[in-house]
């Protein structure tokens, strides 16, 4: 059987990945796997084996990198309404004190106020 490991593109052939996973299941250590593959003329680093072991192989072999988008869970509707109620007063507290009471950052409070198009 023929396996491809291209160092330029950092992609691993599915067959080679399967073989590495099989060797891992047979309780071979990472250095042992490197030696076994080297005998077959395949140079693979321990780091690569570690990545396959931790299932990063799925991301590494995909054409597009898997994107993790950062979400802003703090500006929930309840937080927004709490902030608007707090600032809708004659002498509203500072953004910093509102942030502390809502367990949010001051920038989040500022963004909520701007989005509500509130003018103090």
């Amino acid at each position: 059987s023929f396996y491809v490991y291209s160092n330029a593109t950092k992609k691993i052939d599915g067959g080679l990945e399967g073989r590495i996973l099989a060797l891992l299941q047979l309780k071979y250590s990472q250095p042992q796997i490197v030696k076994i593959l080297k005998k077959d003329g395949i140079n693979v680093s321990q780091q690569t084996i570690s990545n396959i072991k931790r299932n990063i192989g799925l991301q590494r072999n995909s054409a597009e990198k898997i994107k993790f988008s950062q979400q802003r869970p703090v500006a929930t509707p309840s937080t927004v309404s709490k902030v608007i109620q707090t600032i809708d007063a004659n002498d509203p507290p500072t953004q910093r004190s509102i942030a502390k009471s809502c367990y949010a950052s001051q920038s989040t409070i500022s963004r909520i106020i701007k989005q509500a198009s509130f003018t103090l």
Side-chain angles (χ1 to χ4, degrees):
S1 59
F2 181 73
Y3 299 108
V4 179
Y5 176 67
S6 171
N7 212 11
T9 58
K10 297 278 186 197
K11 296 208 180 195
I12 290 187
D13 172 1
L16 176 59
E17 191 169 334
R19 184 170 175 196
I20 291 171
L21 288 169
L23 289 168
L24 285 167
Q25 284 178 339
L26 292 170
K27 303 283 186 221
Y28 281 99
S29 69
Q30 291 176 16
Q32 288 173 322
I33 293 172
V34 170
K35 283 180 186 173
I36 291 168
L37 294 175
K38 202 168 216 172
K39 284 180 188 172
D40 293 346
I42 303 166
N43 287 327
V44 178
S45 68
Q46 282 189 45
Q47 183 63 55
T48 302
I49 294 169
S50 173
N51 289 344
I52 291 171
K53 188 177 180 181
R54 290 185 292 129
N55 265 342
I56 296 177
L58 296 173
Q59 179 176 337
R60 292 182 50 231
N61 283 343
S62 64
E64 253 180 58
K65 288 283 181 212
I66 298 168
K67 293 184 179 85
F68 298 99
S69 60
Q70 191 170 7
Q71 294 179 335
R72 296 179 178 149
V74 186
T76 56
S78 61
T79 309
V80 172
S81 63
K82 186 176 177 185
V83 170
I84 291 171
Q85 283 174 356
T86 310
I87 61 171
D88 196 14
N90 285 344
D91 189 22
T94 62
Q95 288 182 7
R96 181 178 287 173
S97 63
I98 296 170
K100 279 185 180 174
S101 69
C102 293
Y103 301 103
S105 68
Q106 185 266 318
S107 59
T108 299
I109 302 305
S110 175
R111 189 179 335 102
I112 290 171
I113 293 169
K114 282 179 187 168
Q115 285 174 349
S117 55
F118 234 88
T119 50
L120 296 174

